[in-house]
Amino acid sequence: MDRIRIRGGAPLNGLIPISGAKNAALPLMIASLLTADTLELGNVPRLADISSLLRIMSNFGVDHSIAGRRPGQSSETGQTVRLTAKNIIDTTAPYELVSTMRASFWVIAPLVARFGHAKVSMPGGCAIGTRPVDLLIMALAKLGAVIEIESGYVVATAPKGLRGAEIDFPKVTVGGTHVALMAATLAQGTTVIRNAAREPEVVDLAECLIKMGAKIQGAGSSEIVIEGVSSLHGASHDVMPDRIETGTYAMAVAMTGGDLVLDNTRPDYLQAALDVLGQAGAEVTPTHGGIRIRRNGNGLQPVDVTTDPFPGFPTDLQAQFMALMTRANGTSRIRETIFENRFMHVQELARLGAQIRLDGDSAYVDGVQGLKGAPVMATDLRASVSLVIAGLVADGETTINRVYHLDRGFESLEAKLTRCGALIERVRG
């Protein structure tokens, strides 16, 4: 397996272009199953999860093509993917495909909405908690789908089509909102989703669906109203910038010091995280096309954070922020309220010299004078990049193993950091 080797101590200076958001691209690709026409998606990141989903879609009979580079595009500025789900040959998503990525379970919504039948394996993916699919199944059942569980598969049928309904989520669920949104676009009548996720990725999906002919109001609020239509058509849509990648590089420059412009992104997508960075001692300034992050030689201040659904502090930035707080002048508390098993990076950060105590859903981070390089192991996507952030300031050499987790969610990470002065390289396995 590939490894990443880092020699710490170099500040970050320059410009990093932010890629399209993986967490937006995946549901957008899945939405192509709702129409026989072609859906063209621009700014799609080059990631392992994107490739995995394309394989799953091909298994259904979806044709896809990746356009050649346009003027001004590079390996770091996304790609254009065209998906055509005209001739679907199968509505089964087998375990060997779905088990590699949780989000692929969402294909159940457009398949049952458009074809009246879907058989999808229970999902796999990162081991950061149980993340059950019960709320997703509940949403489909509310819309009239008959649900059965057979040998690890969820079978959903609706031979007469789905019907509009009121869906009240007992807790905020991004996956559940995606599933309900896609299924309701082709349901007969009106659907109201209450306690809907407000994440920008949900808004991005809704905007694409509207371009395809869906009738949706309220995306970005806690109540979304969908008036079902008989069919959707093709469209062209650009994937939103990745707010988690943005926050990750912002924390990296806050950690190392330097002056970094993050281009092609939007501060309003992660204002809670930027506010926290400002409290920690980084200077955050919006620019015409993104964000500028600076930190001189001043020390980092400890800040307490609690992860929350949008617009709160994102759980997907918790590990990165924990790495940052290992160098703060004092003790910070990080409370994780979204996933119950998302502190697996703590033991790996401890190998670098971090002082972290766990107590239930909280981690108490005592800042240390310095970290020391060591071999560490990536445990999931966000945990792996927290080790990169720590390695950027650790004395000596840090080697990160199992970096396939990084390849699932960060496009051209080594190239982007190297260009800004980091001493980082990939060692092929």
Side-chain angles (χ1 to χ4, degrees), residues 138-201:
M138 177 273 284
L140 292 175
K142 287 279 190 180
L143 293 168
V146 177
I147 306 292
E148 296 178 348
I149 309 297
E150 299 179 356
S151 303
Y153 283 77
V154 178
V155 181
T157 55
K160 295 184 180 180
L162 298 176
R163 302 182 304 276
E166 295 189 1
I167 301 172
D168 295 285
F169 285 120
K171 65 178 181 179
V172 175
T173 163
V174 174
T177 304
H178 282 320
V179 162
L181 194 56
M182 285 189 277
T185 59
L186 295 181
Q188 302 168 34
T190 301
T191 297
V192 180
I193 305 172
R194 296 192 179 91
N195 201 24
R198 299 164 58 190
E199 271 71 2
E201 293 81 5

Side-chain angles (χ1 to χ4, degrees), residues 45-84:
R46 296 167 175 83
L47 299 170
D49 274 9
I50 299 295
S51 299
S52 295
L53 184 56
L54 286 174
R55 286 194 294 273
I56 293 169
M57 304 281 277
S58 296
N59 194 64
F60 297 138
V62 177
D63 290 326
H64 76 269
S65 63
I66 298 176
R69 261 182 220 168
R70 296 175 177 175
Q73 283 187 336
S74 71
S75 61
E76 300 173 15
T77 54
Q79 57 191 341
T80 299
V81 178
R82 298 185 182 94
L83 298 142
T84 307

Side-chain angles (χ1 to χ4, degrees), residues 344-426:
M344 292 189 296
H345 45 282
V346 168
Q347 295 305 318
E348 298 304 309
L349 288 172
R351 289 176 55 80
L352 301 174
Q355 299 290 321
I356 305 170
R357 294 171 286 116
L358 296 181
D359 183 8
D361 64 0
S362 295
Y364 295 86
V365 186
D366 299 323
V368 295
Q369 288 283 62
L371 301 174
K372 293 188 180 297
V376 290
M377 189 79 71
T379 54
D380 65 63
L381 169 55
R382 307 308 175 187
S384 58
V385 82
S386 76
L387 301 176
V388 172
I389 291 174
L392 289 172
V393 299
D395 293 335
E397 187 173 282
T398 298
T399 302
I400 303 171
N401 297 287
R402 290 172 60 183
V403 298
Y404 61 84
H405 287 295
L406 275 173
D407 296 334
R408 291 183 49 224
F410 289 92
E411 183 177 35
S412 304
L413 178 130
E414 307 99 272
K416 291 180 178 182
L417 286 172
T418 297
R419 196 173 56 246
C420 296
L423 303 175
I424 179 172
E425 63 177 344
R426 179 175 292 245

Side-chain angles (χ1 to χ4, degrees), residues 287-299:
T287 66
H288 177 68
I291 307 166
R292 182 181 184 183
I293 312 288
R294 290 185 288 181
R295 188 175 75 81
N296 56 23
N298 294 335

